[in-house]
Amino acid sequence: MRAEDVRQHVTTPLTSPAYAPTVPRFTDREYLNVVYRTDPEALRAVVPEPLRIDDPLVRFEVMKMGDVSGYGPYTEAGQAIPVTFEGERGEYLHAMYLDNFPATASGREVSAYPKVMGSPALHVDTGALVGTLDHGGQRVATATMGYKHHELDRDEAAAQISVPTFMLKTVPGYDGLPRVQELVRTRITDLTVKEAWTGPARLQLFQHVLAPLADLPVLEVVSAGHILTDLTLAGVEPVHDYLKGALS
C-alpha cells in the first residue's frame, strides 16, 4: 500500500476499519433524561478547568438509537454536567457507556466523547419508562419515569438537548505523556423533535469501581424528560489547549 493511500485512512486495521468513514445521521433517537442535584464538591473533583459549575446538577441520560448511518441501532447511557465556558452555558460530558464497539471507537478517536463499553437499555414496563445501565453482570444505574404523563413543549425539549457540549480530548504519546490534551466543543445540528414528554421520575446509582457514576450521588431528582428526535452531531472544535495553557 502506497503512503498516499495510507493517508486516506482515518482508522485501523487498514483493510477492515473499526468504523465507517461517514458523518452519522441519527433517526428516532430516543432520550430518557433525569436531571438531579448532587454534591457540589464531588462535581468540582471531576469537572476540569476552565469550565465552571453553577448549580450542582447532573443529567443522567439513556439514549436508544433507532437507526444510525454507519452503525445501525444501539443504546448509550451516561452523565452530563451543566457548565459554563467564557459565559456560554453548555454541558460537560463526564462518562458514556455503549453497547456498540464501532460507535465507541469513532466517538473517542474522531471526536472526544468519553465512551467505553457497557450494557445500557431503554424499555417500557407496566406504565413506566425504564432506563438501565449494567457493567458486565452488575447493575450500575436504574432510572424510571412515568410513561408519557404530560406533554413537554417541543421547543423546550430541543433547548434541553441542543446546548453546546464540552469534552476532554487526550491522546497519549509514545513516551506515556499527553501528545494532545484539549478541551473541545460541539453541538447537535439538524434537530427535529418528534415527541416530548415529562413526568415523575426516580434514579438509583450503584457503586462500581469501573463505572463510578455513584461518585456523583443523587440528592434530589429535579426533572425528567422523554424525547424522540432526529439529529446530526457536528464536528468538534478545540477551545482550550492544556499543553499550551492558552485558548486554541
Side-chain angles (χ1 to χ4, degrees):
M1 186 178 290
R2 296 174 301 174
E4 53 266 35
D5 296 326
V6 173
R7 289 193 292 268
Q8 302 304 310
H9 293 263
V10 297
T11 184
T12 57
L14 289 177
T15 59
S16 180
Y19 47 86
T22 183
V23 176
R25 174 66 177 172
F26 294 80
T27 303
D28 290 337
R29 177 166 170 160
E30 185 179 11
Y31 288 83
L32 168 58
N33 294 323
V34 179
V35 177
Y36 69 92
R37 195 173 308 280
T38 192
D39 179 357
E41 293 303 318
L43 279 186
R44 294 189 186 99
V46 299
V47 175
E49 295 178 334
L51 297 175
R52 296 183 178 275
I53 302 165
D54 291 330
D55 295 330
L57 300 176
V58 180
R59 181 168 63 87
F60 174 76
E61 61 181 6
V62 182
M63 295 171 287
K64 186 175 182 179
M65 319 300 182
D67 183 67
V68 188
S69 54
Y71 305 99
Y74 64 93
T75 307
E76 181 174 333
Q79 290 169 311
I81 300 169
V83 294
T84 58
F85 176 75
E86 296 185 339
E88 181 181 46
R89 293 189 176 276
E91 288 184 331
Y92 170 66
L93 292 186
H94 176 53
M96 309 175 81
Y97 301 84
L98 288 73
D99 60 3
N100 180 298
F101 175 74
T104 301
S106 66
R108 292 177 65 96
E109 293 180 16
V110 177
S111 300
Y113 293 94
K115 296 187 175 187
V116 295
M117 296 295 292
S119 299
L122 183 64
H123 65 280
V124 179
D125 182 9
T126 319
L129 182 65
V130 180
T132 59
L133 173 62
D134 293 349
H135 190 283
Q138 302 301 312
R139 178 57 45 91
V140 177
T142 299
T144 56
M145 174 184 166
Y147 185 67
K148 297 188 176 182
H149 279 203
H150 309 287
E151 284 199 67
L152 179 64
D153 181 80
R154 295 190 182 187
D155 290 337
E156 180 181 345
Q160 288 180 12
I161 62 176
S162 63
V163 297
T165 298
F166 298 94
M167 301 170 286
L168 181 62
K169 175 77 168 185
T170 297
V171 179
Y174 299 110
D175 57 0
L177 299 174
R179 188 172 181 176
V180 174
Q181 196 163 62
E182 299 172 333
L183 185 70
V184 303
R185 177 189 183 278
T186 187
R187 71 182 309 157
I188 287 171
T189 63
D190 300 327
L191 172 65
T192 300
V193 175
K194 296 179 172 181
E195 295 184 35
W197 304 86
T198 188
R202 300 291 186 271
L203 174 63
Q204 292 176 286
L205 302 179
F206 305 94
Q207 298 285 351
H208 194 299
V209 66
L210 299 182
L213 281 74
D215 286 1
L216 301 178
V218 180
L219 302 183
E220 177 192 8
V221 171
V222 175
S223 64
H226 176 202
I227 305 170
L228 183 65
T229 67
D230 295 342
L231 59 86
T232 303
L233 298 176
V236 302
E237 57 175 351
V239 295
H240 182 82
D241 191 328
Y242 289 93
L243 303 182
K244 296 180 180 178
L247 293 178
S248 300

